[in-house]
Amino acid sequence: MIRSSAAALAALLASSSLSAVAMAQTAPSASAAPAPAPASSGFATSEATDPYIWLEDVEGARAMEWVREHNEKSLGVLQGDPRYEPLHQEALAIVQAKDRIPGVGFNRDGTLSNFWQDADHVRGVWRQTTVDSFRTDAPQWDTILDIDALAAAEDANWVYKGVNCLAPEERRCLVSLSNGGKDATTLREFDAVERAFVEGGIVLPESKGGAAWIDRDTLLISRDFGPGTLTDSGYPMTVRLLKRGQAPEQAPVIFTGQPTDVAVSGYTLRDADGAVKAVLINRSVDFYSSETWRPKDDGSLVQLALPAKSEINGLIDGRLVVSLKQDWTAPSGQAFQTGDLIAWPLDAWLADPATPAQLVLRPTERQSVEGVNATRHTLVVALYDNVRGSVRVYRPGQTEWTHTTLDLPQNVSVGVGSASETDDRVFVSVTGYLNPSSLWLADAATGDVEQIKSMPAKFDATGMTVDQHEARSADGTMIPYFVVHKADMPLDGSNPTLLYGYGGFESSLLPGYSATVGKLWLERGGVYVIANTRGGGEFGPRWHEAALQQNRQRAHEDFQAVALDLIARDITSQPHLGIMGGSQGGLFMGVMLTQRPDLINAAVIQVPLFDMLRFHKLLAGASWIGEYGDPDIPEQRAWIERYSPYQNLRAGQPYPEVFIHTSTKDDRVHPGHARKAAARLEELGYPVLFYENTDGGHAAGANLQETARRIALEYTYLSRRLMDTPAQE
């Protein structure tokens, strides 16, 4: 699938979604409190009034000494709890298990590739097998590149970040390697047949950005070339055409964006045989608006006639498929709606933008398109209705597209995986909160489906069930949420309950099997709740747009409404209710802490945004102005300041002891957000547990051991706060 850079950036920011089965029920009304007025103290409204600005010096001596002191204290408390080590061992067994389903991708020669990590391959191994071997219980894997061996040989902290191979041969590849898990990567040319890096081959030094093959000797590159070549967001502002043998800085610039852009990047649009049909450049004007440009043979550029909020999904039988994120009238005069999938005959459309488009799919108000991929002749779509998934197969016709629905399990989450470009096979994943993940191989041409892998249960779900309820938000909107629990739980407010939320960037929280949630929380009597608030994409682009910028408070009120509804239903009560979220979800947790601390007794705040008056000045923060607004514009600053957690922390509030964690190597969401949050809370007299992984990047885990440790720390903290009765301050 081809993705716009805006979509790719949204995926980067989004935290891992833990997601359930759906049966709509009407819930009692629950209104969230209005947002408080901005803090009047003037605290941290400028660099001069922020006493903790020095904590933004990522690896500065003073800041790192502060980190070490807090790590020592927090690890002493949490690892000293007798529950920590059993939880750690359970987490370690889960994340290092070898009976997980390998995520595989089709290669053009019919083999399958996979990247795998376990106890023996902590950093991971890139490997391949055949489809027939993959069907067996013990596939025979052929190692292509061992990252553990590479890191040891080069004495480097390599973290694998993906590979991009040149079609159709797929022999020459660019391997992305990150130092410690940062988003910035080094790209190195690799020969997948010889299983070795190409001597004298292409090497692009560490940078954010990417590269795309045009042919064996030509690439489009978007990298950091020094002052004046990055946007304010810290992403590449230029696209260059690199010829083999050139130094990257010698490659001629073929496109330059603006400093205020999020990023620019180049890519190729290829047909099912791997032939280049168009060379394209994406200019992300903001996180959701972009332009697509096509370089012509004479060096000039032409902008494609696409709406600012749209995404190119693929090319099927010569037809370009695009999803729309806004209402749009095409040059042909046709009117399309937000959420529509449309298609043009590519060659005719490139020659004449007024060429009529065909409508492929128009979702209803409670539907959303959650995944699109193309086989050789079909378009495969994951379509959700009230957060329940199905997979449709669309085929182009002369006047309209027809579709069928694959015969897959119902009331679960489905995901469209890798699709073959040489035939119409496609992998589909199926999962639910209590349904261990399974992998199906479908023939989109015939509709045949075959379950070829299923994951064994990782926790005892006997007697557990999943409910879907709705909470009434402050403006009357009904917000769906899922509750995973033991069927015989008492409705007396005594249940330790973890409420998870994200609420931004059109990222949907869909049903999904989490072995760690099940083993470390549900099995031990905990209740797990997922809030499908506005700001996400559960009901398409409009559900997201309802909480954008000046309307951000709606998402916060939605989350608060779910908490209130849980308490109203006597599922839990304040002493037993905790919240968790990361990245944008960490901001969500910070707002809940500052606006409704009376509802909660625990908060796990993961790699958070927190100082929203400075988010746009830190690392990739400027790229998110499209989501939150611009703090440098007074009108927009006013609505941001109303909820920015850092400025709204106050003395004398019923804040529980919180657990905040981040990573020194996070070069997306600045660790200064988490550090300053902890420092301010301590200054105001509140107990805080803070932990910073000195590796790991935004995913907070450079390797599986660190991932297991982080998970065990989180559930030890939650056990202390929500399962000990009463929780002591």
Side-chain angles (χ1 to χ4, degrees), residues 92-424:
L92 199 60
I94 289 169
V95 302
Q96 293 186 339
K98 295 185 179 183
D99 57 1
R100 291 172 284 126
I101 297 175
V104 291
F106 279 105
N107 300 318
R108 286 181 177 270
D109 64 1
T111 61
L112 303 174
S113 61
N114 162 253
F115 181 72
W116 181 257
Q117 293 174 287
D118 59 27
D120 299 323
H121 307 94
V122 176
R123 296 180 183 274
V125 58
W126 172 25
R127 59 188 189 171
Q128 68 180 24
T129 190
T130 66
V131 174
D132 286 341
S133 182
F134 186 63
R135 281 190 172 98
T136 69
D137 291 336
Q140 297 300 302
W141 293 98
D142 178 21
T143 296
I144 302 173
L145 177 62
D146 186 326
I147 305 300
D148 294 89
L150 177 67
E154 299 184 352
D155 191 24
N157 189 15
W158 289 132
V159 174
Y160 176 81
K161 288 285 188 172
V163 63
N164 174 13
C165 297
L166 172 61
E169 295 86 0
E170 297 183 331
R171 174 172 182 168
R172 292 299 178 99
C173 304
L174 292 175
V175 176
S176 296
L177 298 169
S178 162
N179 175 16
K182 295 185 291 186
D183 286 349
T185 59
T186 298
L187 302 185
R188 293 163 60 178
E189 187 177 8
F190 186 84
D191 188 320
V193 174
E194 295 294 331
R195 307 288 199 263
F197 288 102
V198 177
E199 186 174 351
I202 295 166
V203 176
L204 300 179
E206 182 179 85
S207 169
K208 292 185 180 181
W213 294 99
I214 295 179
D215 57 43
R216 179 180 170 130
D217 297 316
T218 315
L219 294 93
L220 295 167
I221 61 173
S222 49
R223 315 292 290 169
D224 179 358
F225 290 99
T229 66
L230 296 179
T231 66
D232 296 341
S233 300
Y235 293 103
M237 192 171 68
T238 63
V239 175
R240 300 187 181 216
L241 191 67
L242 178 71
K243 291 288 186 179
R244 184 176 297 277
Q246 281 182 317
E249 60 273 12
Q250 295 173 335
V253 176
I254 62 171
F255 187 89
T256 302
Q258 297 295 321
T260 53
D261 293 343
V262 173
V264 299
S265 60
Y267 61 99
T268 55
L269 190 62
R270 297 176 183 267
D271 64 18
D273 294 319
V276 176
K277 304 302 292 183
V279 173
L280 301 176
I281 293 169
N282 187 290
R283 177 193 174 206
S284 291
V285 179
D286 61 36
F287 208 89
Y288 302 106
S289 301
S290 63
E291 299 170 353
T292 302
W293 294 79
R294 183 184 177 210
K296 300 175 71 174
D297 292 340
D298 62 5
S300 62
L301 293 157
V302 59
Q303 184 178 352
L304 301 189
L306 293 170
K309 296 182 178 180
S310 62
E311 179 180 344
I312 293 176
N313 296 114
L315 190 63
I316 301 99
D317 281 350
R319 293 166 171 86
L320 181 73
V321 178
V322 174
S323 57
L324 302 182
K325 308 294 185 181
Q326 65 179 72
D327 294 346
W328 182 59
T329 301
S332 62
Q334 296 167 286
F336 295 105
Q337 298 178 12
T338 299
D340 285 354
L341 281 179
I342 61 176
W344 290 277
L346 177 64
D347 291 340
W349 179 69
L350 289 177
D352 179 8
T355 300
Q358 290 179 317
L359 178 67
V360 180
L361 164 65
R362 174 165 291 164
T364 67
E365 184 178 335
R366 300 295 277 187
Q367 290 179 332
S368 68
V369 173
E370 292 291 345
V372 179
N373 211 343
T375 67
R376 189 171 185 85
H377 300 295
T378 71
L379 189 73
V380 185
V381 178
L383 183 69
Y384 279 70
D385 195 324
N386 201 31
V387 208
R388 290 173 291 182
S390 64
V391 175
R392 290 186 181 182
V393 175
Y394 287 82
R395 298 169 182 81
Q398 288 298 318
T399 59
E400 63 181 17
W401 290 59
T402 60
H403 79 269
T404 55
T405 301
L406 295 181
D407 184 15
L408 294 165
Q410 303 295 303
N411 296 326
V412 291
S413 180
V414 296
V416 177
S418 179
S420 171
E421 293 175 303
T422 58
D423 54 34
D424 291 304

Side-chain angles (χ1 to χ4, degrees), residues 617-639:
K617 298 181 184 296
L618 301 174
L619 296 177
S623 65
W624 310 321
I625 286 174
E627 179 81 7
Y628 302 117
D630 188 345
D632 289 339
I633 298 174
E635 177 188 4
Q636 299 181 22
R637 182 184 181 88
W639 75 57

Side-chain angles (χ1 to χ4, degrees), residues 9-34:
L9 287 167
L12 274 176
L13 184 68
S15 295
S16 299
S17 298
L18 301 176
S19 340
V21 229
M23 283 177 282
Q25 300 178 15
T26 302
S29 171
S31 298

